[in-house]
Amino acid sequence: MTSPTGEIYRIDWLPGTDVLHGTCHCGAEHSAEDPIEMWEWMLGHPEGHTPRDQNVPNGPRGPNAPQGNGS
């Protein structure tokens, strides 16, 4: 038996759609309709993962999020 890593991956289904929304243990988020694409993204950490700014509530997330300190 392996020991737990403490890493939490979360995938939520958005009701009324075919969209899955995933959150990696690093805080990065991704949406996809294909479950295989979602798991490949999750398990590909850190490639393609830009964690949200933990200092800003609902702050920038993902690779297309604006960069900078907001000033």
Side-chain angles (χ1 to χ4, degrees):
M1 181 175 183
T2 61
S3 61
T5 64
E7 297 173 350
I8 297 174
Y9 300 88
R10 180 180 180 121
I11 297 179
D12 296 307
W13 166 64
L14 302 178
T17 72
D18 290 334
V19 177
L20 300 170
H21 182 80
T23 305
C24 182
H25 65 87
C26 71
E29 297 183 26
H30 180 73
S31 294
E33 291 186 11
D34 181 9
I36 294 172
E37 176 188 340
M38 179 59 70
W39 278 110
E40 287 176 345
W41 176 82
M42 285 275 188
L43 299 175
H45 173 86
E47 187 176 318
H49 292 226
T50 304
R52 67 179 172 187
D53 185 345
Q54 298 297 324
N55 297 318
V56 179
N58 300 317
R61 306 170 201 194
N64 298 323
Q67 301 297 312
N69 62 9
S71 57

